Amino acid sequence: MIKKIGVLTSGGDAPGMNAAVRAVTRAAIRKGMQVYGIRRGYNGLINGDVFEMNERSVSDIIQRGGTMLYTARCPEFRTEEGVEKARAKCEELGLEGIVVIGGDGSFRGARDLTLHGIPCVAMPGTIDNDIVCSDYTIGFDTAVNICIDLIDKLRDTCNSHNRCSVVQIMGKNAGWVTLEAGIAAGATSIIVPEVEFDFQRDIVDRIARGKRYGKNHFIVLVSEGLFFDVPSNKNYKYCVDNGIANIADFAKRVEKETGVESREAILGHVQRGGAPSAKDRVIATEMGNYCVNLLKNGISNRVVVMKETDIIDLDILEALKMEKPFDFKKYEMANMINI
Ligand code: ADP
C-alpha cells in the first residue's frame, strides 16, 4: 500500500491549482498517507525541493489564484538523465506516488516517471482548455470570467467614443477562451486559430451590418494563437501575407478597412490571476480526491479528466493520442447571435 505521496504543479499556472493541491493533501492524509509538496514542478523533484504537508499547510488557499507550490518548466526533465535523477530522488525521499497537476507536457513527464517505476497520476490544470483528452481543464472558467469582466469595461469606453476594441485573448494555440468569452461578452467578431477567417466577411461586413442596426461600438476578439507559427493555426499565412505581425497591426487594419477608430488591447497574464470560480474550485477538489483514490488503490499512469459532466480516468498514453475538435457549431451560433 502506498504510504507517502508527492504533489506538484507544472507548466503554466491556472486558477484552481491551489484547490487541487488542497484536495490532494487533505484526501491523502484522511486516507492515512503522508504528503509532500514539491516546489516548481519537476525541478523540485530533481533537486529534492520538497516539504511535508499537514492539513493546515493547505489552509486559506482554496480562494487564491496561482499555485502555492510554484510552477515551472523543466527542460532537464525531458531528458533520460533528468527523469532518472527524479526517480532516484523519489526513492531517497520514500515517495511512492506523485500527483501531477498541469497541461499535456506535464502529462508526458508523468508518463515518463511512471515508466521509470514511480507511479504517477495527472490532472488537467490550464486556462487554455486545450488538453485533448478532457472536455474541461481547471482554470478555464475563471479565465473566461476575467475576460468578460475586462471586455465589459472596454465596452463602456468604446461606447462613449464610438470605437472598436480589438482585444487579444490568451489561450496558446487554441481558441477556446476566445470563443467562450466572445459568446459571453457579445463580441462582433471572434477570430480563432482553428477557423480560417475572411477579413471582409468576418470583420468588415459584420461591422457594417452592426452600423446599419445603429450600433456605434464594436468588440473584435482575436486569439493570441493567430500570430503563432504552428501548423494548427489556419490563419498564420494570412497574417504574414498581409503584414499583420501582432494585435496592433490587426487593429490598424480594422480601422483602415472599416473607418471605425480602433484600439488594440492585450489582456495578457491578468487572465490567469485572481480568485478561482466556484466551478474551478469544485472540479479541482473532485479531481484531486479522485487522483488520491487511484494511487491509494495502486493504480497509476492514469490521467483524471472530465467527459461531459463525469470525472473519469484514462491511460495517459491513450489520453495523449486523443483528439478534441474545435466546437465549430458553437462558433457558428456565436456568429449568428452576435452583431
Ligand atoms: P504544460 O504542462 O502546461 O503543457 P509544458 O509543455 O511546458 O507545460 O510542460 C511542463 C513540463 O513538463 C516541462 O517543462 C517538462 O519538464 C515536462 N515535459 C513536457 N513535455 C515533456 C515530454 N515530452 N517528455 C517528458 N517531460 C515533458
Side-chain angles (χ1 to χ4, degrees):
M1 226 255 322
I2 288 185
K3 281 296 218 186
K4 204 188 220 184
I5 66 166
V7 54
L8 61 83
T9 49
S10 168
D13 70 335
M17 279 183 162
N18 275 327
V21 171
R22 171 180 176 273
V24 169
T25 305
R26 294 256 172 94
I29 292 170
R30 295 273 185 279
K31 288 164 216 265
M33 298 183 228
Q34 269 182 292
V35 190
Y36 278 72
I38 301 160
R39 295 192 185 92
R40 297 179 184 82
Y42 293 113
N43 290 292
L45 208 50
I46 288 175
N47 304 323
D49 188 3
V50 305
F51 61 103
E52 186 168 1
M53 298 208 283
N54 58 35
E55 283 99 332
R56 295 281 304 150
S57 310
V58 288
S59 293
D60 203 25
I61 62 164
I62 195 168
Q63 78 282 19
R64 294 188 205 283
T67 159
M68 68 166 283
L69 295 178
Y70 308 112
T71 184
R73 303 209 151 84
C74 176
E76 192 182 357
F77 197 74
R78 286 170 180 260
T79 65
E80 183 69 22
E81 300 78 59
V83 181
E84 182 47 36
K85 270 195 204 167
R87 185 205 58 79
K89 195 51 92 177
C90 285
E91 264 185 17
E92 184 189 323
L93 296 165
L95 295 178
E96 300 159 299
I98 308 287
V99 177
V100 172
I101 304 159
D104 51 6
S106 306
F107 292 0
R108 288 190 174 87
R111 171 206 60 196
D112 291 354
L113 195 56
T114 304
L115 293 176
H116 278 71
I118 306 296
C120 293
V121 292
M123 56 184 277
T126 163
I127 66 158
D128 306 327
N129 201 26
D130 60 346
I131 296 182
V132 290
C133 56
S134 190
D135 291 347
Y136 188 78
T137 64
I138 293 159
F140 177 69
D141 183 61
T142 306
V144 170
N145 277 296
I146 293 170
C147 284
I148 63 173
D149 187 38
L150 294 170
I151 295 163
D152 288 350
K153 291 183 168 93
L154 283 170
R155 187 190 279 281
D156 289 344
T157 158
C158 267
N159 192 353
S160 311
H161 291 270
N162 296 4
R163 276 184 192 143
C164 174
S165 249
V166 180
V167 190
Q168 178 170 310
I169 306 289
M170 240 187 205
K172 225 157 59 182
N173 297 323
W176 295 104
V177 183
T178 311
L179 172 59
E180 206 79 353
I183 294 171
T188 298
S189 300
I190 302 171
I191 311 297
V192 297
E194 293 91 338
V195 184
E196 193 174 340
F197 84 107
D198 179 300
F199 207 95
Q200 182 67 33
R201 181 194 63 206
D202 298 324
I203 296 177
V204 181
D205 292 352
R206 290 183 69 85
I207 288 180
R209 189 181 63 169
K211 275 190 190 165
R212 286 200 299 278
Y213 287 138
K215 206 171 153 113
N216 70 354
H217 66 281
F218 303 90
I219 306 283
V220 172
L221 298 191
V222 180
S223 296
E224 64 174 352
L226 216 75
F227 309 114
F228 296 166
D229 183 8
V230 291
S232 60
N233 177 9
K234 297 211 168 112
N235 296 306
Y236 186 69
K237 188 173 178 304
Y238 175 86
C239 288
V240 171
D241 290 350
N242 289 278
I244 300 173
N246 53 42
I247 196 74
D249 295 339
F250 202 105
K252 273 193 207 110
R253 176 91 193 269
V254 172
E255 180 164 305
K256 185 165 162 262
E257 299 290 326
T258 64
V260 178
E261 189 186 357
S262 301
R263 296 283 167 89
E264 76 274 12
I266 300 177
L267 302 192
H269 284 86
V270 286
Q271 243 178 269
R272 295 232 296 248
S277 67
K279 178 171 176 170
D280 281 324
R281 297 182 201 193
V282 172
I283 295 174
T285 302
E286 290 182 286
M287 285 185 171
N289 179 51
Y290 196 118
C291 286
V292 170
N293 282 337
L294 288 177
L295 286 177
K296 170 96 183 151
N297 292 321
I299 302 165
S300 63
N301 210 20
R302 305 293 288 179
V303 49
V304 172
V305 300
M306 193 147 207
K307 280 285 159 210
E308 297 184 353
T309 53
D310 292 334
I311 292 171
I312 60 163
D313 59 292
L314 304 167
D315 177 81
I316 293 189
L317 259 188
E318 294 303 313
L320 287 168
K321 283 190 236 151
M322 294 170 93
E323 282 181 17
K324 179 159 87 172
F326 190 67
D327 197 338
F328 296 102
K329 263 194 180 163
K330 206 170 185 181
Y331 182 81
E332 275 173 24
M333 180 207 68
N335 280 331
M336 189 253 305
I337 304 271
N338 294 358
I339 55 168

